[in-house]
């Protein structure tokens, strides 16, 4: 190519630049085009998911028949390309890494996605190379490891596409959309680039694409360091291959994005840095048009419209596309090297040649959208079809278009059919997308699946369902009548744990400790979630292995707690059944509990360890060693933290109640394993809280330990009710007492008594403002303990209306003034009077309540049985 080929165009653009500014951008565009076309290696510029690029690629491949194709795609994805034969497009090539070496751990997992659609130039190149003998396909872009090496910020998933063409200058995009009378970039590209180039000759297509790529490159951000690094990387790989392969550069074709086609760094030397030690896993995952649009920020429906445009171009004939289905190839033609001529001047100086109105196509769209709208609940009619047809033509005319585009048709349909309320799940715009091709979803064939996914399909075969379907299927299992289905049930429960909630959903049946389902019913949507199953295959060979790795990773995480470890123990029992692995997780739970310095997870710890202890006692009859260690360690640990937890504002009453629940309910087991009860009594005596709820908890704890008699506890609560300064906070005290039902369930009658006294003694001026606070306190602090309180109240109060008038509360009955004779002096009275604390404890267990003195129930009992008391006293005197 001579430097005079584009001289007239350069002079014309230079004159325009001088008329408006002194900038060298416009002449520089021509220089970029000339440099790209003058390169010895033929550069084929493309745009991602572009039918025009795919059509031009198919024509050029048939004409040139290259022996080597260099493709802008991550080089380590090359082994996956042969598996595309087993897939239904669109699918995506994926590189996945969970165990990182050389990257921050909080970046994990890392994923690189490269979608492939049938209407893309890269698929045409791949299909041609794989189906044509003697053709080599070489991926030359940076590896997936380098993608994250060059990334300044953490992104867990990165989309990779060939030919990302979009203005990187916001003002430029806004200007193009405004003057093009379009709403978004996809529509502008379709009207001004895609449609004019669909039937253009190769030289025109190539020059225009390089020009557009150069424009966006020059008007984008000034820092092109990363893009130039990629270009040096790719050109270095191509030079290395050309040096080692016995092939002429004229028989090679370089397929890259138009943005990179005008690169000025093609000849610069470059040293490729080594990859990190991160282990990358590779596979194919299903993709969809909607997923591609979401991932790359494209307009909704744009990929479906591109697929429809591709199908329409193939129907017109003139292009034989390549595919991986082994279709026949045309004979290789003799290609002569034609001189490059200036096609840009003519293309830029004349208006685009637009297709005439295709009335049959537009009429078919209008009739079909009305039919779809009626099926989805819209009251559409033939008149609406006519209105859509005419409005589409009107909108195209207002936007200077000779024929309506799919975007014009969408706007017309929304205008004429859409009502104020959408009657169904889909609005008219979504119905238009379905009409124009819909959201096509790809599928990875069985042969291309990783071993884990194949193993899942094989193990679920006894269900007799086609798991590759994207519909929701119901699986019914009678496990007693068909015991061969129990392995299927086990797999489904593990998938329920590992996959998203709507992938495998149980309708009937459960999996909990101590339970076994007789019948189960499942809704399975495995076909819809094929990607999730494939990504499980990156973590292991079987579902059991993946589950074990996740549980182990969860308990050894830096943020792991004892509650998390106990949950992992429970999951291991339910799904894996490995005693060795369960004991390993239990030992880790003990270590985590001893290392904790907070009690935030105490409620979860208490609930889970109770459940596990009950399970082991019911199944094995004996506790494993780690359970005994957990109880003894927890007893000492919570005794140590109890005084601090009572006074810390950060620790709530719920957490303190759970600590007391652990200490009191595990006390007998802990003492049998060698713990000392004095440690618990000392911890409670050292606790001096100020918060009302915690004060109620420490009172309950002292009462449980025999340090605070019930009479004294009742007197303290009566004093609180009698103090007008304390009455506003009395609901908080009640919340603490309700929380105390967890560690001291025998306190339920007393809590009912306190509530009854509050309702009976407080005046309305105090009671009415107090009730909302009481309800809020109970709902926030103790929702699961309110039923316990309700049942106790049901046992205390009369069950009929007639019994209400004659009802006398039990606590009032115990205080009724019954005439009692004075206490007689004697050795028994002196002995019991000298040990009042144990006597009060025994009396409380027997249900006797009273005060020492004239009304002392013990003294009254001795007085009524004087002869017996005297005989016992005589024996005690003789024993001395």
């Amino acid at each position: 190519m001579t430097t005079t080929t584009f001289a007239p165009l350069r002079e014309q653009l230079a004159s325009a630049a001088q008329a408006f500014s002194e900038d060298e951008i416009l002449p520089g565009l021509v220089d970029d085009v000339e440099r790209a076309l003058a390169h010895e290696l033929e550069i084929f510029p493309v745009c991602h998911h572009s039918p025009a690029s795919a059509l031009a690629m198919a024509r050029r491949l048939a004409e040139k028949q290259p022996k080597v194709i260099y493709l802008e795609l991550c080089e380590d994805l090359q082994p996956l390309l042969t598996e595309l034969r087993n897939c239904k497009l669109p699918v995506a090539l994926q590189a996945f890494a969970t165990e990182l070496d050389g990257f921050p751990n909080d970046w994990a997992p890392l994923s690189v996605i490269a979608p492939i659609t049938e209407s893309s130039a890269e698929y045409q190149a791949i299909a041609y190379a794989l189906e044509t003998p003697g053709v080599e396909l070489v991926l030359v872009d940076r590896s997936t490891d380098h993608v994250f090496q060059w990334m300044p910020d953490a992104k867990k998933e990165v989309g990779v596409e060939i030919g990302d063409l979009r203005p990187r200058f916001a003002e430029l995009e806004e200007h193009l959309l405004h003057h093009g009378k379009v709403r978004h970039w996809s529509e502008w590209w379709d009207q001004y680039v895609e449609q004019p180039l669909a039937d253009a000759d190769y030289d025109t297509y190539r020059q225009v694409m390089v020009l557009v790529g150069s424009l966006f490159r020059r008007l984008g951000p000034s820092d092109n360091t990363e893009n130039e690094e990629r270009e040096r990387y790719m050109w270095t790989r191509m030079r290395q291959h050309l040096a080692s392969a016995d092939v002429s550069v004229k028989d090679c074709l370089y397929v890259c994005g138009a943005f990179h086609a005008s690169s000025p760094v093609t000849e610069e030397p470059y040293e490729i840095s080594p990859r990190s030690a991160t282990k990358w896993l590779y596979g194919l995952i299903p993709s969809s048009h909607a997923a591609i649009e979401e991932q790359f920020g494209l307009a909704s429906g744009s990929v479906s419209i591109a697929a429809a445009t591709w199908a329409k171009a193939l129907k017109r004939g003139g292009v034989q596309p390549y595919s991986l289905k082994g279709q026949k190839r045309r004979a290789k033609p003799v290609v002569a090297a034609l001189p490059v001529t200036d096609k840009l001047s003519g293309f830029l100086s004349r208006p685009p040649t637009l297709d005439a109105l295709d009335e049959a196509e537009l009429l078919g769209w209008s009739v079909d959208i009305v039919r779809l709208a009626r099926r989805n609940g819209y009251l559409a009619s033939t008149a609406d079809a006519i209105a859509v047809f005419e409005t589409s033509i009107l909108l195209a005319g207002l936007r200077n278009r000779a024929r309506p585009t799919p975007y014009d048709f969408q706007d017309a349909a929304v205008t004429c059919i859409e009502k104020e309320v959408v009657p169904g799940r889909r609005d008219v715009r979504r119905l238009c997308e379905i009409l124009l091709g819909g959201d096509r979803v790809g599928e990875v064939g069985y042969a291309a699946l990783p071993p884990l996914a194949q193993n899942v399909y094989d193990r679920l075969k006894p269900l007799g369902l086609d798991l590759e379907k994207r519909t929701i299927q119901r699986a019914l299992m009678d496990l007693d009548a068909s015991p061969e289905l129990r392995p299927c049930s086990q797999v489904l429960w593990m998938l329920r744990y590992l996959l998203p909630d709507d992938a495998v959903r149980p309708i009937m049946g459960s999996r909990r400790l101590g339970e076994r389902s007789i019948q189960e019913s499942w809704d399975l949507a495995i076909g819809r979630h094929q990607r999730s199953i494939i990504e499980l295959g990156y973590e292991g060979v079987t579902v059991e292995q993946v589950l074990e790795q996740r549980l182990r990773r969860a308990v050894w995480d830096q943020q792991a707690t004892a509650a998390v470890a106990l949950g992992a123990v429970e999951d291991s029992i339910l799904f894996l059944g490995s005693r060795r692995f369960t004991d390993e997780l239990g030992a880790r739970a003990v270590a985590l509990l001893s290392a904790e310095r907070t009690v935030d997870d105490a409620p979860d710890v208490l609930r889970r360890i109770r459940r596990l202890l009950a399970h082991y006692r019911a199944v094995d009859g004996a506790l494993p060693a780690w359970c005994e260690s957990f109880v003894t360690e927890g007893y000492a640990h919570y005794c140590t933290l109890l005084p601090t937890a009572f006074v810390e504002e950060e620790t709530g009453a719920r957490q303190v109640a759970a600590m007391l629940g652990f200490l009191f309910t595990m006390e007998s087991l802990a003492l049998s394993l060698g713990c000392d009860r004095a440690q618990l009594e000392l911890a409670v005596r050292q606790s001096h809280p100020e918060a009302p709820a915690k004060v109620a908890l420490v009172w309950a704890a002292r009462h449980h330990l025999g340090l605070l008699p019930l009479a004294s506890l009742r007197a303290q609560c009566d004093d609180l009710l009698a103090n007008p300064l304390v009455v506003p906070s009395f609901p908080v005290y009640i919340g603490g007492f309700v929380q105390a039902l967890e560690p001291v369930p025998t306190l339920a009658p007393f809590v009912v008594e306190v509530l009854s006294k509050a309702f009976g003694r407080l005046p309305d001026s105090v009671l009415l403002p107090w009730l909302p606070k009481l309800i809020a306190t109970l709902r926030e602090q103790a929702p699961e303990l309110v039923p316990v309180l309700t049942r106790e109240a049901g046992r205390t109060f009369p069950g009929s209306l007639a019994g209400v008038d004659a009802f006398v509360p039990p606590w009032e009955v115990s205080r009724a003034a019954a005439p009692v004779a004075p206490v007689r002096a004697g050795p028994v009275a002196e002995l019991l009077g000298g040990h009042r604390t144990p006597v009060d404890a025994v009396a409380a267990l027997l249900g006797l309540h009273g005060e020492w003195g004239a009304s002392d129930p013990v003294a009254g009992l001795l007085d009524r049985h004087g002869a017996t008391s005297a005989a016992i006293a005589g024996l005690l005197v003789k024993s001395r």
Side-chain angles (χ1 to χ4, degrees):
M1 179 191 303
T2 62
T3 57
T4 60
T5 303
F6 294 95
L9 179 59
R10 183 182 292 103
E11 294 176 0
Q12 184 179 357
L13 293 179
S15 301
Q18 291 177 0
F20 294 100
S21 68
E22 298 297 329
D23 205 323
E24 296 295 326
I25 290 181
L26 292 180
L29 299 179
V30 182
D31 295 337
D32 291 341
V33 174
E34 194 168 30
R35 181 175 59 254
L37 300 185
H39 205 282
E40 187 178 7
L41 175 61
E42 182 177 340
I43 302 174
F44 191 102
V46 300
C47 175
H48 64 82
H49 313 301
S50 165
S53 295
L55 292 169
M57 175 64 72
R59 296 190 189 102
R60 186 55 181 167
L61 291 175
E63 178 185 4
K64 181 181 178 66
Q65 295 285 308
K67 296 180 180 178
V68 177
I69 297 179
Y70 299 113
L71 186 61
E72 178 198 327
L73 198 60
C74 294
E75 58 185 2
D76 50 338
L77 297 177
Q78 178 127 12
L80 297 177
L81 299 180
T82 56
E83 297 294 339
L84 290 174
R85 291 189 176 92
N86 302 313
C87 302
K88 176 183 176 183
L89 299 181
V91 297
L93 314 176
Q94 183 183 35
F96 193 85
T98 55
E99 300 178 2
L100 308 186
D101 187 350
F103 301 104
N105 290 329
D106 56 351
W107 286 21
L110 300 180
S111 177
V112 173
I113 304 293
I116 303 291
T117 62
E118 190 174 0
S119 58
S120 61
E122 55 267 30
Y123 174 72
Q124 291 297 306
I126 293 171
Y128 166 81
L130 296 182
E131 295 295 329
T132 305
V135 176
E136 184 179 5
L137 178 65
V138 182
L139 306 187
V140 295
D141 200 1
R142 55 185 176 169
S143 68
T144 53
D145 196 89
H146 286 93
V147 170
F148 291 97
Q149 285 187 26
W150 299 353
M151 189 174 297
D153 300 320
K155 288 185 180 179
K156 292 189 176 182
E157 182 171 296
V158 176
V160 178
E161 54 185 352
I162 302 176
D164 181 14
L165 274 184
R166 185 163 186 160
R168 289 164 171 79
F169 187 46
E171 288 77 1
L172 172 61
E173 181 171 348
E174 182 180 354
H175 176 85
L176 294 175
L177 297 184
H178 175 72
H179 290 277
K181 299 180 181 179
V182 294
R183 293 167 301 171
H184 43 72
W185 172 250
S186 300
E187 187 175 358
W188 185 93
W189 179 266
D190 180 78
Q191 178 177 347
Y192 292 100
V193 180
E194 194 71 34
Q195 298 297 337
L197 289 181
D199 296 320
D201 60 83
Y202 177 63
D203 286 342
T204 302
Y205 166 84
R206 192 179 175 201
Q207 294 172 25
V208 170
M209 291 295 288
V210 176
L211 178 71
V212 174
S214 174
L215 175 65
F216 293 163
R217 187 186 187 99
R218 288 179 175 271
L219 292 182
S222 57
D223 186 10
N224 271 326
T225 303
E226 182 178 352
N227 290 312
E228 291 180 355
E229 285 286 304
R230 288 183 62 189
E231 291 156 1
R232 293 187 183 96
Y233 191 107
M234 290 188 285
W235 281 99
T236 300
R237 287 301 191 204
M238 287 186 287
R239 286 195 296 267
Q240 292 174 351
H241 183 269
L242 288 172
S244 61
D246 185 17
V247 63
S248 172
V249 69
K250 295 182 179 180
D251 292 329
C252 302
L253 184 66
Y254 172 36
V255 181
C256 66
F259 186 90
H260 302 291
S262 58
S263 172
V265 298
T266 58
E267 301 298 334
E268 294 183 9
Y270 182 72
E271 182 178 354
I272 298 176
S273 61
R275 302 181 189 179
S276 71
T278 298
K279 182 180 179 181
W280 290 90
L281 304 170
Y282 303 92
L284 293 166
I285 59 174
S287 185
S288 65
H289 291 171
I292 296 172
E293 293 160 359
E294 175 70 20
Q295 186 173 12
F296 299 108
L298 304 177
S300 178
S302 58
V303 179
S304 297
I305 291 175
T309 303
W310 165 258
K312 182 178 178 181
L314 296 181
K315 288 181 180 179
R316 290 202 302 261
V319 178
Q320 180 66 35
Y322 293 93
S323 68
L324 291 174
K325 296 180 181 179
Q327 64 267 54
K328 295 181 179 180
R329 304 286 175 230
R330 63 185 70 182
K332 180 177 180 179
V334 178
V335 180
L338 300 176
V340 177
T341 58
D342 178 12
K343 298 295 185 71
L344 273 177
S345 299
F347 183 86
L348 297 176
S349 60
R350 67 175 182 270
T353 303
L354 300 176
D355 295 339
L357 174 62
D358 190 343
E359 292 189 2
E361 179 188 54
L362 181 58
L363 187 60
W365 287 352
S366 303
V367 173
D368 291 340
I369 192 60
V370 169
R371 184 184 295 111
L372 268 178
R374 291 182 63 86
R375 290 177 181 173
N376 285 268
Y378 287 93
L379 299 178
S381 63
T382 305
D384 293 310
I386 298 173
V388 172
F389 180 86
E390 298 294 342
T391 306
S392 300
I393 298 175
L394 176 63
L395 289 176
L398 292 175
R399 295 167 178 173
N400 298 324
R401 301 171 183 169
R403 61 183 297 272
T405 65
Y407 300 99
D408 298 323
F409 170 73
Q410 281 186 347
D411 293 341
V414 171
T415 302
C416 300
I417 301 177
E418 189 71 89
K419 312 301 179 186
E420 294 182 358
V421 178
V422 178
R425 294 183 305 168
R426 302 184 180 98
D427 58 8
V428 174
R429 189 169 300 279
R430 175 60 184 147
L431 295 178
C432 291
E433 295 174 6
I434 295 174
L435 174 66
L436 297 173
D439 182 19
R440 296 182 184 176
V441 180
E443 178 185 328
V444 179
Y446 179 86
L449 292 174
L452 181 142
Q454 294 181 357
N455 179 261
V456 169
Y457 283 11
D458 293 341
R459 294 169 69 177
L460 295 180
K461 275 185 179 179
L463 296 178
L465 302 176
D466 185 1
L467 299 178
E468 296 181 356
K469 288 184 178 179
R470 293 185 53 80
T471 56
I472 298 177
Q473 303 178 76
R474 177 65 58 87
L476 303 174
M477 293 183 288
D478 188 339
L479 301 179
D480 280 352
S482 303
E484 68 275 5
L485 296 180
R486 289 193 178 277
C488 297
S489 173
Q490 180 72 9
V491 173
L492 291 177
W493 282 113
M494 288 188 289
L495 292 177
R496 171 69 176 171
Y497 183 89
L498 296 170
L499 295 180
D501 291 340
D502 53 346
V504 176
R505 187 165 59 94
I507 305 301
M508 182 176 65
S510 61
R511 179 61 66 94
R512 288 192 289 265
L513 291 178
E515 295 184 2
R516 185 179 70 88
S517 299
I518 299 175
Q519 293 179 331
E520 292 181 355
S521 175
W522 294 82
D523 276 352
L524 306 181
I526 293 179
R528 291 185 180 180
H529 296 271
Q530 191 184 48
R531 172 178 176 175
S532 299
I533 297 179
I534 291 173
E535 290 182 345
L536 286 182
Y538 298 150
E539 302 181 47
V541 180
T542 64
V543 181
E544 289 84 357
Q545 182 184 3
V546 174
L547 182 56
E548 181 176 334
Q549 289 177 354
R550 288 196 180 183
L551 293 178
R552 182 177 282 111
R553 189 162 55 242
V555 301
W556 286 97
D557 186 77
Q558 293 182 353
Q559 304 299 325
T561 62
V564 172
L566 290 178
V569 169
E570 189 173 343
D571 293 334
S572 175
I573 296 173
L574 291 175
F575 303 121
L576 297 177
S578 171
R579 186 62 179 265
R580 175 199 56 79
F581 181 61
T582 303
D583 291 345
E584 177 186 338
L585 298 178
R588 177 60 178 168
V590 176
L592 289 172
L593 180 66
S594 61
E596 287 182 357
R597 293 296 174 263
T598 64
V599 293
D600 295 340
D601 294 331
D604 288 339
V605 170
L606 176 61
R607 185 179 68 254
R608 294 184 183 279
I609 192 60
R610 279 178 175 173
R611 194 158 53 222
L612 288 168
L613 291 177
H615 167 75
Y616 281 117
R617 285 167 176 162
V619 175
D620 297 337
L623 298 179
W626 75 265
C627 277
E628 297 179 351
S629 300
F630 192 91
V631 171
T632 56
E633 185 67 34
Y635 191 86
H637 179 70
Y638 284 143
C639 283
T640 303
L641 296 180
L642 188 61
T644 305
F646 265 115
V647 297
E648 282 185 343
E649 295 182 359
E650 295 81 6
T651 305
R654 187 176 183 84
Q655 282 71 30
V656 175
M659 295 174 66
L660 293 173
F662 186 97
L663 294 172
F664 292 163
T665 57
M666 305 290 169
E667 184 177 11
S668 60
L669 177 59
L671 295 179
S672 68
L673 295 174
C675 295
D676 188 358
R677 191 172 193 268
Q679 188 178 8
L680 174 58
E681 293 184 1
L682 185 61
V684 173
R685 289 179 182 273
Q686 291 177 342
S687 301
H688 303 286
E690 297 181 358
K694 294 183 180 179
V695 170
L697 282 171
V698 78
W699 287 351
R702 290 174 180 174
H703 170 71
H704 177 78
L705 295 176
L707 304 177
L708 181 65
L710 186 61
S712 301
L713 181 59
R714 181 180 289 112
Q716 290 177 341
C717 290
D718 291 341
D719 292 341
L720 292 177
L721 278 173
N723 188 345
L725 298 178
V726 180
V727 166
S729 61
F730 195 72
V732 186
Y733 284 92
I734 292 180
F737 281 123
V738 175
Q739 291 283 2
L741 295 178
E742 178 77 36
V744 192
T746 57
L747 207 61
F750 175 75
V751 178
V752 173
E753 174 186 342
V754 173
L755 278 172
S756 301
K757 288 180 179 179
F759 283 112
R761 298 181 185 180
L762 294 177
D764 290 345
S765 59
V766 176
L767 184 61
L768 294 179
W770 178 59
L771 284 176
K773 189 174 182 180
L774 172 65
I775 296 173
T777 301
L778 294 177
R779 177 181 296 178
E780 177 185 357
Q781 297 184 5
E784 73 282 356
L785 297 176
V786 171
V788 178
L789 202 61
T790 305
R791 287 193 297 269
E792 183 61 33
R795 288 191 292 265
T796 303
F797 296 104
S800 62
L801 185 61
V804 173
D805 294 335
F807 173 70
V808 178
W811 51 90
E812 297 295 341
V813 173
S814 64
R815 282 189 165 191
V820 180
V823 179
R824 295 179 180 178
V828 177
E830 294 177 1
L831 178 64
L832 297 178
H835 301 81
R836 296 188 176 190
T837 299
V839 172
D840 284 336
V842 174
L845 292 176
L846 296 175
L848 301 176
H849 308 284
E851 300 294 337
W852 287 88
S855 60
D856 181 21
V858 179
L861 181 64
L862 296 177
D863 183 64
R864 289 193 297 273
H865 303 278
T868 305
S869 301
I872 295 175
L875 293 175
L876 293 174
V877 172
K878 290 180 180 180
S879 64
R880 292 180 180 177

